[in-house]
Amino acid sequence: MDTESFLTTDVAIVGAGVAGACVARELARWQVHVTVLEAGNDVACGATRANSGIVHAGYDPAPGTLKARFNARGSQLFSRWADELGFSYHRNGSMVLAFSDEELAAVRQLIERAARNGIEGVRELDAAAVRALEPSVSPHVRGGLLAETGAVCDPYEVALFAAEQAALHGAAFLFEQKVTALDRLTPEDSAEAERVAEQRGQVRRSAAPYRYRVSTAGGLAVAARAVVNAAGVFSDEINNMASACKLRIVARRGEYCLYDTDKGSVFSHTMFQAPSSAGKGVLVTPTVHGNLLVGPNAVDQADKIDASTTAEGLRFVLDAARKTWPEANDRGLITNFAGLRASNAEGCDFVIGQPDDAPGFFNVACFDSPGLTSAPAVGEHIAGEVAALLDVRINDSFCAQRTVFKAFANMDEAERAAAVARDARWGHVVCRCCQVTEAELVAALRGPLPVLSLDALKWRTRAMMGRCHGGFCSPEIAKIVARETGVTPDRLDKRLSGSPVVASARSDYASVVQSFEGAEAASAARAERAPAMAQECDVAVVGGGAAGIAAAHAASMRGARVVLIDREAKLGGILKQCVHNGFGLHRFGVELTGPEYAQRETDQLALLDASGVCVLRDATAMSIDAPRERADGLFSVHVVGPRGAHAVRARAVVLATGSRERGLGALNVAGSRPSGVFSAGSAQNFMNLQGCLPGKRAVILGSGDIGLIMARRLVSQGAEVAGVYELMPHPSGLRRNVVQCLDDFGIPLFLSRTVTRLEGEGRLSAVYVSDVDPDTVQVIPGTEQRVACDTLLLSVGLLPENELARTAGVELDAVTGGARVDSRLETNVAGLFSCGNALHVHDLADHASAEGDLAGASAAAYALSKIEARRERRRASVPVLAAQGVRYVVPHAVDATGSPSGNVAISLRVSRSVRNPRFVVEGVDAQGRVHTVKRAKTMVAVPAEMVQIPVSAAELVRWESVRVRVEGAGDEDRAPSVPSMTGGGAD
């Protein structure tokens, strides 16, 4: 045996999923050396990462099976393991719902089975009891089972934290080491391995011989006294290398749809459907992180690697979920995914322990559901069996309690202040959706297990897991990774090996990154020079983009003391990365680039007295407490930044928080999860601010302005754009951008076509596009075509960013996604104003700035009035309604006390393209009679372009209500399009 190329270990574990990690953790209780070989580049790369996260109570497995035994024990252990390791775990209870007599009979059989399995807290509920506990359940429910010990967890955390604890106790984790052979060692080879181990200084803890040589595709050979097979869907292949007792595993694909956190409270229990002759149905469950998950289906497949989703599977999941939850649809989805379960082709039970003909070889095979629940118990059992075989001693230094670091998102204000005091990086919130800080990212990168991909960092910290799916934070995180590890974005894998984040990066990226914002030294320096957090002010403005800067300036010019809070080190928001021109014609009378426009706005702030506006940079507003009935009438804006966590107290607040891009998950596109998929804004950041080329051949989905602009930008940098594909029968961006960005560069635009599927395991290799019926806006079956590409850019709409508004109780409009406001831009919360893309998506930064002017002036007037006057003010208003052909109007009401300027600018978008449109503003009197207030006309109106109609406030407040409609020759009625202009800027 070649002793130069092999390692020696007491126990080799094949697979670092939840089974392998739990075995490794339990083996740390014994004096053994453990080596874990994982084919992927992270823990939990297989079934563990992509499952329901359900800790099953134990009523389902057939009595007497290994599944029943380990499920029951595992469920008991989970709570203790959660306390010791610190993974997310919540005992929410589970239900099994019955909708027919057949299903009621199945429920009763499960209750009997629970008793035979020794599971307590399982009982039958009638329909009324089910609905009392879960009001959102289908009215057709007939009854159900309640299992009080059912729970949910984060499966990745279970595996990661168990693996980290094992590593801290000496276990070695070797990634990208796929096992290709497993051979029995001869006595001579075993003796040679013993000699080599002694030469290398490895302490001998067992008298057992080295029994196996494990070889990997990476050229590694490991001599082991015992082997644990925890290889998931490949565990049959590993078993069959060691034993004549052959196994055959079928990979069973399960597809899921994941909703945003605003759906997480729809159900509190995990909701199963009772098994019947039609199948087992799907589950609907809250997750430990506040989302709502539906799925899975069950499809057997020969391929053990392909975890792509399919259009048919996703459609089935949503259709089946409606049996439990009638409101289930694709609105609110943030992603879909699929996992593969290792199902026993020759039976339905786990295969655990040593085959008769392979001593020292331990299977954890055919480990499908309830494998996650059973993993702690199986780990406990296998570790005990291995320790007995090797005759090793207990490890007296084993510490069951893992040091747990509280996530920033779960800290209170005092804890956040203390964390920032220790390390200023806790004050730099990188992922706004999940509230993940730079300190947490750095800690993960420096953890006991290596981080070999961007997704590994995502799973460790939850950064990039929120509703924008990394659209905002992934470019920033790539910089932090490069700074900490020296791995540039073109060498950083997104998920699998061979899935680089970008196609190319500037040659000096690694050195230049040291000067990027977010570096440790820069954070500390900014903390030292940052202004002290203001304790009290007249107006707090949240957001430092075009609208926010304008609001701060306008409020200060009217005598208000202003605090401008911005999450970035430099004001300007999205403008900073918009290096194209086309800004400023309306506001400054000259054409500017985005950075030039931002500089003009910030220059106005610099001209003010230093005491007029206090700018808090690198400061993130986390929540807002409205005054309600407090005596002082002040808002509390809770902010974290380099100076710590504080509450800024303000008499009025302006929300200028901008918008976010709609991600791929919201479209529920099927396929694999390769690298090379970007939101257009994220790609713009990589290109314009970091000097990276996202890809070499791109497809752009959506004809929003930023997508059109990026098409031109890619071509100018030497990339090829195969085409821009638009779901609607008309472009979503400004007409001049279609001409200047596509026509002038020969880039084709395909209307009524959309991307329906992705292809590529590592890097994206192709997208599939299909025709769309222009009347129904539904994909036409049989029209799918493959388009080769390595990059997909999404420009499919913007959504106003109003998570902060929700914390203050602001009422949001269902159409715009922004606040409902009156003509002063005041929300339903007195003293809280909204403007810019946070209110509704704008075509032009100039218009967002003008809205900021109004919001700032209105906020100053409110703040500087006497508190008694603010309380006594009666907010009588005249509602403004969208009528024929108009998709929405802003403002939603006219303040009866008048407007600061005497005029009201009614902003609107049409629901379809109209030629020679005539806009009619009408007043409705107390008797219901309609009166024309104003008419306005233009050459054409399209859904992509906002229309503004100035109307005298005095002409509007006379009526009981005001409505706006459009007349003119238009296309046939279409489904309403979604405005998709970039945050604060056009071209």
Side-chain angles (χ1 to χ4, degrees):
M1 183 170 67
D2 181 5
T3 60
E4 297 299 321
S5 59
F6 79 95
L7 304 176
T8 55
T9 189
D10 293 326
V11 185
I13 299 176
V14 183
V18 71
C22 288
V23 171
R25 190 252 183 174
E26 288 301 287
L27 281 171
R29 298 178 184 273
W30 304 89
Q31 293 185 21
V32 291
H33 184 268
V34 176
T35 300
V36 181
L37 302 172
E38 168 56 45
N41 59 4
D42 192 18
V43 299
C45 281
T48 302
R49 183 172 299 189
N51 69 48
S52 309
I54 305 303
V55 181
H56 293 276
Y59 54 77
D60 189 48
T65 61
L66 291 174
K67 286 187 176 183
R69 169 188 169 186
F70 288 116
N71 189 156
R73 176 61 177 162
S75 181
Q76 293 172 352
L77 287 174
F78 242 94
S79 179
R80 191 185 84 197
W81 276 50
D83 289 339
E84 292 175 348
L85 294 177
F87 56 75
S88 303
Y89 169 81
H90 175 53
R91 183 168 282 184
N92 63 321
S94 57
M95 291 188 187
V96 181
L97 304 177
F99 298 89
S100 66
D101 290 341
E102 178 191 5
E103 292 175 0
L104 279 171
V107 161
R108 289 165 186 149
Q109 289 174 1
L110 289 175
I111 294 172
E112 292 175 4
R113 183 176 287 186
R116 294 174 64 190
N117 287 340
I119 309 303
E120 298 179 349
V122 178
R123 66 181 190 273
E124 185 177 354
L125 301 176
D126 62 20
V130 171
R131 284 192 288 269
L133 289 172
E134 296 291 356
S136 297
V137 75
S138 168
H140 302 297
V141 70
R142 298 275 303 278
L145 170 157
L146 174 64
E148 296 174 352
T149 58
V152 290
C153 71
D154 183 326
Y156 180 86
E157 286 184 358
V158 178
L160 174 68
F161 294 172
E164 285 186 341
Q165 191 181 45
L168 291 171
H169 282 81
F173 282 77
L174 305 179
F175 296 102
E176 299 180 332
Q177 297 292 340
K178 180 179 179 180
V179 172
T180 55
L182 193 150
D183 303 304
R184 302 277 184 96
L185 292 178
T186 65
E188 293 77 16
D189 284 343
S190 179
E192 181 65 12
E194 203 73 71
R195 184 187 65 80
V196 171
E198 183 178 349
Q199 285 182 342
R200 293 174 178 174
Q202 185 169 318
V203 177
R204 183 171 183 176
R205 296 180 172 125
S206 171
Y210 286 96
R211 291 183 171 90
Y212 296 96
R213 176 174 55 220
V214 186
S215 303
T216 73
L220 186 66
V222 180
R225 304 182 197 276
V227 173
V228 177
N229 172 24
V233 292
F234 296 99
S235 58
D236 57 345
E237 298 175 22
I238 303 300
N239 171 84
N240 297 345
M241 295 175 186
S243 172
C245 302
K246 302 303 182 185
L247 297 178
R248 186 168 70 89
I249 283 176
V250 173
R252 184 163 292 156
R253 186 179 73 249
E255 296 167 78
Y256 297 86
C257 293
L258 183 69
Y259 288 90
D260 201 350
T261 51
D262 60 355
K263 302 289 188 184
S265 60
V266 173
F267 292 99
S268 58
H269 295 77
T270 297
M271 311 297 287
F272 294 96
Q273 296 169 356
S276 70
S277 55
K280 292 187 68 173
V282 303
L283 63 82
V284 180
T285 183
T287 73
V288 287
H289 299 297
N291 302 89
L292 189 73
L293 182 69
V294 302
N297 58 351
V299 179
D300 292 349
Q301 62 182 41
D303 193 313
K304 292 185 176 183
I305 295 176
D306 184 10
S308 301
T309 56
T310 64
E312 299 78 16
L314 297 174
R315 188 162 49 245
F316 169 84
V317 164
L318 290 177
D319 287 346
R322 278 190 279 274
K323 183 176 179 180
T324 297
W325 178 36
E327 303 302 316
N329 55 47
D330 57 6
R331 291 182 62 84
L333 292 178
I334 59 172
T335 194
N336 62 61
F337 62 92
L340 301 179
R341 287 162 277 177
S343 297
N344 190 339
E346 312 301 334
C348 58
D349 205 2
F350 298 154
V351 176
I352 305 293
Q354 300 177 85
D356 292 338
D357 61 345
F361 179 86
F362 295 83
N363 272 315
V364 184
C366 305
F367 205 53
D368 57 359
S369 181
L372 171 63
T373 309
S374 304
V378 169
E380 177 185 68
H381 171 75
I382 292 292
E385 293 287 304
V386 171
L389 176 75
L390 301 186
D391 191 23
V392 291
R393 296 179 180 177
I394 291 175
N395 179 11
D396 293 329
S397 64
F398 175 76
C399 179
Q401 197 71 37
R402 173 180 169 271
T403 301
V404 178
F405 296 95
K406 196 171 188 178
F408 177 83
N410 298 329
M411 293 179 180
D412 60 28
E413 194 163 83
E415 291 170 324
R416 289 172 176 174
V420 179
R422 294 192 304 269
D423 184 344
R425 291 171 299 186
W426 281 99
H428 179 203
V429 179
V430 179
C431 172
R432 63 184 71 177
C433 297
C434 296
Q435 298 183 354
V436 180
T437 67
E438 181 182 351
E440 292 166 288
L441 292 164
V442 171
L445 289 168
R446 298 177 181 177
L449 296 178
V451 174
L452 303 177
S453 69
L454 198 61
D455 273 11
L457 193 58
K458 175 178 77 173
W459 284 91
R460 279 162 168 75
T461 65
R462 291 194 54 76
M464 303 173 282
M465 270 198 178
R467 58 192 61 86
C468 83
H469 260 240
F472 282 124
C473 61
S474 57
E476 176 78 4
I477 292 172
K479 293 191 298 187
I480 293 172
V481 171
R483 186 193 74 217
E484 293 294 319
T485 68
V487 178
T488 54
D490 57 331
R491 295 190 297 114
L492 173 63
D493 282 325
K494 169 67 172 62
R495 185 169 68 99
L496 305 174
S497 297
S499 62
V501 173
V502 299
S504 64
R506 53 190 295 171
S507 59
D508 59 345
Y509 189 99
S511 58
V512 172
V513 76
Q514 297 298 329
S515 66
F516 283 146
E517 298 156 4
E520 180 175 357
S523 292
R526 289 200 301 273
E528 289 299 318
R529 65 175 181 266
M533 289 284 190
Q535 298 300 307
E536 189 172 312
C537 63
D538 296 317
V539 177
V541 179
V542 184
I549 297 172
H553 181 262
S556 181
M557 290 295 289
R558 284 157 181 79
R561 293 172 301 139
V562 180
V563 173
L564 175 57
I565 303 164
D566 191 46
R567 65 176 69 248
E568 298 186 31
K570 185 176 180 181
L571 297 178
I574 195 71
L575 293 166
K576 299 192 297 293
Q577 67 188 51
C578 298
V579 298
H580 52 279
N581 58 13
F583 299 85
L585 286 172
H586 295 268
R587 189 162 178 84
F588 300 113
V590 62
E591 192 171 41
L592 304 168
T593 65
E596 290 171 339
Y597 184 98
Q599 191 61 53
R600 288 228 181 177
E601 292 283 20
T602 53
D603 285 346
Q604 293 188 82
L605 288 182
L607 294 175
L608 297 174
D609 183 83
S611 63
V613 178
C614 173
V615 180
L616 299 181
R617 296 178 174 85
D618 280 329
T620 301
M622 308 301 295
S623 63
I624 298 176
D625 296 334
R628 310 301 182 201
E629 301 301 323
R630 280 209 312 267
D632 60 7
L634 296 178
F635 289 86
S636 290
V637 184
H638 298 278
V639 178
V640 63
R643 287 284 188 177
H646 303 269
V648 176
R649 310 267 282 163
R651 292 170 176 77
V653 174
V654 177
L655 295 179
T657 47
S659 59
R660 60 180 169 86
E661 295 175 279
R662 183 179 277 108
L664 183 69
L667 308 180
N668 214 22
V669 173
S672 55
R673 300 170 67 84
S675 67
V677 180
F678 303 85
S679 68
S682 182
Q684 188 181 57
N685 186 312
F686 273 117
M687 286 192 74
N688 295 347
L689 298 184
Q690 298 192 40
C692 298
L693 184 66
K696 297 179 180 179
R697 177 177 165 85
V699 164
I700 296 177
L701 176 60
S703 58
D705 290 291
I706 192 170
L708 301 177
I709 290 162
M710 283 304 297
R712 178 177 64 185
R713 180 76 170 132
L714 283 165
V715 169
S716 72
Q717 296 301 303
E720 179 185 359
V721 176
V724 175
Y725 293 83
E726 169 57 51
L727 176 77
M728 302 302 294
H730 49 70
S732 297
L734 296 172
R735 286 164 289 168
R736 67 169 181 266
N737 278 341
V738 174
V739 174
Q740 295 173 2
C741 299
L742 301 187
D743 296 349
D744 291 352
F745 286 79
I747 300 171
L749 171 63
F750 302 96
L751 299 176
S752 294
R753 299 190 77 183
T754 192
V755 172
T756 52
R757 184 159 54 105
L758 306 184
E759 176 188 292
E761 277 303 309
R763 182 77 184 188
L764 181 71
S765 57
V767 299
Y768 289 80
V769 297
S770 298
D771 293 344
V772 174
D773 186 300
D775 295 316
T776 64
V777 199
Q778 297 297 311
V779 169
I780 301 173
T783 62
E784 192 175 69
Q785 293 182 330
R786 184 180 186 273
V787 180
C789 60
D790 67 356
T791 305
L792 173 65
L793 264 58
L794 304 170
S795 182
V796 291
L798 294 181
L799 302 172
E801 189 68 66
N802 276 302
E803 293 310 302
L804 192 61
R806 288 189 178 96
T807 68
V810 172
E811 181 184 352
L812 302 181
D813 183 81
V815 178
T816 65
R820 294 183 63 83
V821 296
D822 65 15
S823 51
R824 296 177 183 269
L825 302 187
E826 190 173 17
T827 70
N828 63 297
V829 179
L832 198 152
F833 301 79
S834 181
C835 61
N837 277 9
L839 180 56
H840 60 126
V841 176
H842 287 64
D843 301 335
L844 302 173
D846 308 57
H847 292 161
S849 293
E851 218 167 61
D853 289 340
L854 174 57
S858 300
Y862 180 93
L864 297 176
S865 63
K866 293 182 178 180
I867 189 170
E868 293 80 8
R870 298 204 301 269
R871 286 176 177 165
E872 293 174 3
R873 180 173 168 226
R874 295 293 179 262
R875 290 158 49 87
S877 60
V878 177
V880 182
L881 308 173
Q884 175 188 336
V886 176
R887 186 164 182 264
Y888 75 79
V889 293
V890 172
H892 305 85
V894 179
D895 189 337
T897 62
S899 169
S901 65
N903 286 322
V904 174
I906 297 177
S907 300
L908 63 91
R909 289 184 190 269
V910 294
S911 57
R912 60 190 179 95
S913 299
V914 184
R915 297 187 301 275
N916 300 313
R918 293 175 297 280
F919 297 96
V920 184
V921 181
E922 298 173 330
V924 181
D925 63 23
Q927 287 73 43
R929 294 187 295 258
V930 178
H931 307 265
T932 298
V933 175
K934 184 171 183 176
R935 288 180 177 270
K937 61 182 180 179
T938 185
M939 295 287 292
V940 67
V942 296
E945 298 182 15
M946 191 170 72
V947 176
Q948 288 193 324
I949 305 173
V951 186
S952 167
E955 287 294 319
L956 298 176
V957 298
R958 300 164 48 196
W959 310 108
E960 293 295 308
S961 65
V962 173
R963 66 188 191 190
V964 185
R965 60 184 177 88
V966 62
E967 301 172 344
D971 300 335
E972 60 272 20
D973 289 338
R974 309 283 192 201
S977 66
V978 179
S980 57
M981 195 27 236
T982 177
D987 81 335

